[in-house]
């Protein structure tokens, strides 16, 4: 059974930083494409970033480019999301997801929720102004 468990969320002031982690079990992590999504109250879940198994192919949503960085440690079966220069509009529940795909050619492909097979329960990130 695949399990994805996010951690690292919290309350931070605008301009601050947080690092989210997602530990995975029950899947071949070093072959899995991993992604981060977020969902703010009253809004649809939206794509944040995705990384292929080797870390060589990464996609970011325009809204986080230059501020967020995704990385992975295959030895620890963990994917990370470093979030810098946080803004109040980054406030959301952040979800980790795994995909059966080996890579995505475009951000549009990476952003499609149905391309992901397993989801974590999320971790809350709140950015105060």
């Amino acid at each position: 059974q695949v399990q994805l468990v996010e951690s690292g969320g919290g309350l931070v002031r605008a301009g601050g930083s947080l690092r989210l982690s997602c530990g995975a079990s029950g899947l071949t992590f070093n072959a899995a494409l991993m992604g981060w999504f977020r969902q703010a109250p009253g809004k649809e879940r939206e794509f944040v970033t995705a990384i292929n198994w080797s870390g060589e192919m990464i996609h970011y949503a325009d809204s986080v480019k230059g501020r967020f960085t995704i990385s992975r440690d295959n030895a620890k079966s963990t994917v990370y999301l470093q979030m810098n220069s946080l803004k109040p509009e980054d406030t959301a529940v952040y979800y980790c997801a795994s995909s059966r795909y080996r890579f995505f050619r475009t951000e549009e492909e990476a952003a499609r929720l149905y391309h992901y097979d397993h989801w974590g329960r999320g971790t809350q990130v709140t950015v105060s102004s």
Side-chain angles (χ1 to χ4, degrees):
Q1 181 178 359
V2 176
Q3 284 194 319
L4 303 174
V5 180
E6 303 94 337
S7 61
L11 173 64
V12 64
R13 286 193 169 186
S17 299
L18 280 175
R19 188 195 194 203
L20 305 184
S21 300
C22 172
S25 61
L27 77 165
T28 305
F29 185 81
N30 59 10
L33 185 150
M34 302 297 295
W36 286 97
F37 287 73
R38 65 187 182 186
Q39 188 166 16
K43 295 188 176 182
E44 294 184 350
R45 191 168 299 189
E46 66 173 8
F47 171 74
V48 176
T49 180
I51 185 170
N52 79 320
W53 68 274
S54 67
E56 294 177 342
M57 295 189 71
I58 294 174
H59 298 281
Y60 292 100
D62 287 344
S63 58
V64 306
K65 281 179 182 175
R67 300 188 299 123
F68 290 12
T69 303
I70 189 171
S71 62
R72 64 189 296 159
D73 186 336
N74 287 343
K76 295 183 178 180
S77 296
T78 301
V79 62
Y80 304 97
L81 181 63
Q82 178 67 43
M83 305 186 295
N84 298 330
S85 303
L86 282 161
K87 306 174 181 180
E89 51 263 43
D90 294 318
T91 295
V93 176
Y94 282 70
Y95 297 92
C96 171
S98 67
S99 173
R100 63 194 176 280
Y101 287 86
R102 298 284 288 179
F103 63 90
F104 295 126
R105 287 168 293 185
T106 65
E107 179 192 331
E108 184 181 33
E109 288 183 354
R112 293 174 183 162
L113 272 69
Y114 60 83
H115 280 165
Y116 296 83
D117 308 296
H118 303 284
W119 295 82
R121 293 191 173 185
T123 184
Q124 176 70 47
V125 171
T126 303
V127 184
S128 64
S129 56

